[in-house]
Amino acid sequence: MASETVEAVLFPGIDVRVERVSDSSDVVVVEAVSTARPGWCPDCHRQARRIHSTYQRGLDERPLGFRRVIVRLRVRRYFCDRRSCARRTFVEQVPGLSERHRGSSTGLTGWLRSIAIELGGRPAARLCRRLRVAAGRTRLLRLLTAPPVPDRAPQVLGVDEFAFRKGCTYGTVDVEAGRVVDVLPDRTSERFAAWLKDHPGAEIICRDRASAYTKAVREAAPDALEVADRWHLLQNLSAAVEKTCHQHRNCLRKHAEQATEPTVPELSRTQIIERTRHRYEDIHRLVEKGWTISAIGRRLNLDRKTVRRFRDTDLDELLASARDRRPNGVLEPFKAYLNARFTETQGQVSGTRLFQDIYQRGYRGSRQVVRKHLAALRAGTAEPVRVDIPSPRKITSWIMRPRETLTDSQDRRLLEVRLACPDVTRAGDLARAFADLVRHRRGFLLLEWIRQAEQDAPKPMQGFAGFLRQDLDAVTAGLTLEWSSGVVEGHVNRVKTLKRAMYGRASFELLRPRILTQP
């Protein structure tokens, strides 16, 4: 009766007979005998008739509480009587308990595979130690096997890239209706085109603005309908608006400075301004000599994106951006008061007195900073108090948001920006009109919007309109149909989480099974 109870608990529905149970404080050893029908040859799949011998194999089973369970299972070795079969003998496997070449039971293997899918290598090994299960990270990772990919692609397919290492190497993830279909090791058009040829059937393909995916779709699935993602369209639009605001910072600054007079002479050259000038001159000198962006970056020890920005941007815009990037510091909110006090007293005021005045008004910096600013005022080299103008990114956020969501203060400041610069005003009007097309899916009005933007819009907005015209069919579909890449973006974020959780073991061979097996 006791053995039947143990069998019902440990081996429900499994053809084994428990002969003995040894219990200690740390380990439970269960000795059992297989009672299953004669096994089938794994090569010719013929049922055996003769027993060759028996032997005992050890299996790790799922723990009981915090005690390890070891099953000593006596199994039979059979003859294979078929002469054409190359295998002479084979060992039986008990369904639901044992598998070939595994030292753990089927149930424990399922546990370990689930733990590896959720946690990866080292975190899973740490959890196994807490559960009193003997499993190292390498054994756990070997249990990760990717499920087979369907022969045909889904009818609606989403595709996007993710970074193995940002700015260096990228992969591709294919998604259908909330699940990942496949993961590719790069983002080249050749790789994606080959995948589409091997897995036909996609009728609608949602993508971002990447040209590689467009080329692959036109080559391998020309009958598929491409749908440009609406979120990426709004992101590209925001970038064009922000670039317009960058180019017209001087308009905003002049408008804000009309009502104020500088109290001290402006410092014409500062360290960051000089560095920007020299870098601009060095890059353009090498460009004139025919150097490539990569060669210039290696020569000047700069990132390729920095080199490209200095090559394609006017010097005045770079200098304005450099001035805007200067840190304010703890003294910046009090400089207007210090300058006014300096002017009132004609310079006859001590640093200690000024420090005490602004300390009562909330200043928590050091006394030495105040003294340095006072010395700069007396020497005539102090920078003027910069007018408070909103950053290009902040202006862009006001423009891209629905007007009813802005506060009264934000709406008032946006009105001041529009009064200061007609180009920013025109960019804002076009941006809000396009956002309205996106939110209400009015794709039939897209061509008219492109014509208006190409006629009298600022240069960045004209460039955005040109990109839309080049991808007109996909953008029109994105502004008309319900499909988008939102689900794909969610899976890309999940891929990033998995990649970071695997620390240094996140190679493609290990990452792909986790992406495909984890829901």
Side-chain angles (χ1 to χ4, degrees), residues 29 77 82 144 311 340 396 472 477:
V29 179
R77 180 180 291 275
R82 176 170 288 185
L144 293 176
R311 185 196 65 177
T396 303
L472 184 61

Short mmCIF file of all heavy atoms in Angstrom, two decimals, residues 29 77 82 144 311 340 396 472 477:
data_model
loop_
_atom_site.label_atom_id
_atom_site.label_comp_id
_atom_site.label_asym_id
_atom_site.label_seq_id
_atom_site.Cartn_x
_atom_site.Cartn_y
_atom_site.Cartn_z
N VAL A 29 15.90 8.66 -2.21
CA VAL A 29 16.28 7.72 -3.26
C VAL A 29 15.13 6.75 -3.47
O VAL A 29 14.68 6.08 -2.53
CB VAL A 29 17.57 6.96 -2.91
CG1 VAL A 29 17.92 5.97 -4.01
CG2 VAL A 29 18.71 7.95 -2.67
N ARG A 77 17.30 -4.07 -21.62
CA ARG A 77 17.92 -3.93 -22.93
C ARG A 77 17.38 -5.06 -23.80
O ARG A 77 17.38 -6.23 -23.42
CB ARG A 77 19.45 -4.01 -22.82
CG ARG A 77 20.16 -3.88 -24.17
CD ARG A 77 21.67 -3.96 -24.01
NE ARG A 77 22.17 -2.78 -23.32
CZ ARG A 77 22.46 -1.64 -23.93
NH1 ARG A 77 22.29 -1.54 -25.23
NH2 ARG A 77 22.92 -0.64 -23.22
N ARG A 82 15.42 -7.70 -36.37
CA ARG A 82 15.36 -7.43 -37.82
C ARG A 82 16.77 -7.41 -38.38
O ARG A 82 17.62 -6.62 -37.94
CB ARG A 82 14.65 -6.11 -38.08
CG ARG A 82 14.62 -5.73 -39.57
CD ARG A 82 13.71 -4.56 -39.83
NE ARG A 82 12.30 -4.96 -39.70
CZ ARG A 82 11.28 -4.15 -39.98
NH1 ARG A 82 11.52 -2.90 -40.36
NH2 ARG A 82 10.04 -4.58 -39.83
N LEU A 144 17.80 24.95 -24.40
CA LEU A 144 17.10 25.94 -25.20
C LEU A 144 17.19 25.55 -26.67
O LEU A 144 18.24 25.71 -27.30
CB LEU A 144 17.70 27.33 -24.98
CG LEU A 144 17.51 27.93 -23.60
CD1 LEU A 144 18.23 29.25 -23.49
CD2 LEU A 144 16.04 28.11 -23.28
N ARG A 311 29.59 68.01 -41.17
CA ARG A 311 29.72 68.17 -42.62
C ARG A 311 28.45 68.75 -43.24
O ARG A 311 28.53 69.56 -44.19
CB ARG A 311 30.00 66.80 -43.24
CG ARG A 311 30.28 66.85 -44.74
CD ARG A 311 30.16 65.48 -45.36
NE ARG A 311 28.79 64.95 -45.28
CZ ARG A 311 28.40 63.80 -45.80
NH1 ARG A 311 29.29 63.02 -46.39
NH2 ARG A 311 27.15 63.39 -45.68
N ALA A 340 22.36 93.10 -12.03
CA ALA A 340 21.65 94.35 -11.69
C ALA A 340 22.30 95.02 -10.47
O ALA A 340 22.49 96.24 -10.46
CB ALA A 340 20.18 94.06 -11.44
N THR A 396 9.07 71.36 -30.29
CA THR A 396 8.55 70.25 -31.10
C THR A 396 7.48 69.47 -30.34
O THR A 396 6.46 69.07 -30.92
CB THR A 396 9.69 69.32 -31.51
OG1 THR A 396 10.69 70.06 -32.21
CG2 THR A 396 9.19 68.19 -32.39
N LEU A 472 5.26 56.54 -51.45
CA LEU A 472 3.88 57.03 -51.39
C LEU A 472 2.87 55.91 -51.13
O LEU A 472 1.97 56.06 -50.30
CB LEU A 472 3.54 57.75 -52.70
CG LEU A 472 2.15 58.41 -52.76
CD1 LEU A 472 2.03 59.47 -51.68
CD2 LEU A 472 1.92 59.02 -54.14
N ALA A 477 -1.04 53.55 -47.49
CA ALA A 477 -1.63 52.39 -46.83
C ALA A 477 -1.56 52.52 -45.31
O ALA A 477 -2.50 52.14 -44.60
CB ALA A 477 -0.91 51.11 -47.29
#
